[in-house]
Amino acid sequence: MGTAATRGPMTGDPRNAPAGTSWASSQGTRRSMQSNKPRDTKPELALRRAVHAMGLRYQVSKRPIPAVRRTADLLFTRARVAVFLDGCFWHVCPEHFTVSKTNPEYWASKAATNRARDRETDRLLEEAGWAVLRVWEHEDPGEAAERVRELYDRRISRHSTSTRAPQIHESTHSGHADQGNSA
């Protein structure tokens, strides 16, 4: 059996390749795919630095729901916020996605499967009470961190008001009783 380099480009689904052969269309593609890191990418590190600089603390590369095989890039367990930093190619960015010229049928199918999995992940997490925030890899880390902070603050505020008994406070500005928590 030849290698991908001697066989020529594969067609169809590489997962159906005969045993002992490469799933990649070429050795260069194989090397490139193997070098893709599952975490600690430059955009992810930039987002984490920006969020950390705002004083927020989070867990990295953790499953929000242990029984569901989905890993959030940043996880805020107290606020129940899961942040996913999506790559433009892998998650079909409307601004930057292009179909690969090599083996386009496979990559188009792969992209559609990834998008469907993203929607399923969002649904599963939301049904379990999590808020999901998706950030594109090309987004400005500072702006994305602001979105993270806003969602985190809303969730913490909602969580703290729903777990405390309502209190009555006198408003000094309007002269009428104000129900709720002051924060």
Side-chain angles (χ1 to χ4, degrees):
M1 255 178 246
T3 64
T6 60
R7 265 196 337 267
M10 289 183 67
T11 56
D13 189 340
R15 292 172 292 194
N16 296 330
T21 62
S22 173
W23 45 262
S25 58
S26 72
Q27 283 300 100
T29 299
R30 181 178 176 83
R31 277 191 302 278
S32 176
M33 295 292 294
Q34 287 178 328
S35 70
N36 286 333
K37 300 190 310 183
R39 61 176 274 183
D40 300 334
T41 62
K42 287 181 184 180
E44 187 178 326
L45 291 173
L47 177 62
R48 288 184 353 212
R49 276 191 298 274
V51 170
H52 192 273
M54 294 178 164
L56 296 177
R57 301 301 178 254
Y58 47 83
Q59 295 176 340
V60 176
S61 297
K62 184 158 174 142
R63 292 179 183 181
I65 305 170
V68 178
R69 211 175 131 213
R70 303 293 198 282
T71 303
D73 295 305
L74 284 83
L75 193 66
F76 301 87
T77 54
R78 184 168 161 237
R80 295 180 66 85
V81 171
V83 179
F84 294 88
L85 195 131
D86 293 337
C88 292
F89 177 77
W90 299 109
H91 298 271
V92 193
C93 168
E95 291 181 41
H96 300 110
F97 177 74
T98 57
V99 177
S100 174
K101 289 183 170 78
T102 305
N103 208 356
E105 299 84 17
Y106 170 75
W107 290 110
S109 172
K110 174 80 171 154
T113 301
N114 287 350
R115 290 288 292 166
R117 185 173 44 254
D118 289 346
R119 300 294 70 86
E120 180 190 33
T121 299
D122 295 350
R123 181 184 58 77
L124 290 170
L125 292 176
E126 288 166 2
E127 287 173 358
W130 287 84
V132 175
L133 180 64
R134 292 199 172 267
V135 176
W136 289 111
E137 70 177 334
H138 68 264
E139 287 186 58
D140 176 80
E143 292 174 12
E146 272 301 322
R147 290 179 34 223
V148 171
R149 182 179 194 104
E150 289 168 9
L151 179 57
Y152 176 87
D153 287 346
R154 278 196 317 268
R155 297 283 293 191
I156 288 296
S157 170
R158 190 186 83 188
H159 176 70
S160 64
T161 58
S162 68
T163 57
R164 287 191 231 150
Q167 300 172 0
I168 306 247
H169 298 280
E170 290 297 321
S171 171
T172 58
H173 298 291
S174 63
H176 68 277
D178 182 79
Q179 277 199 325
N181 293 318
S182 62

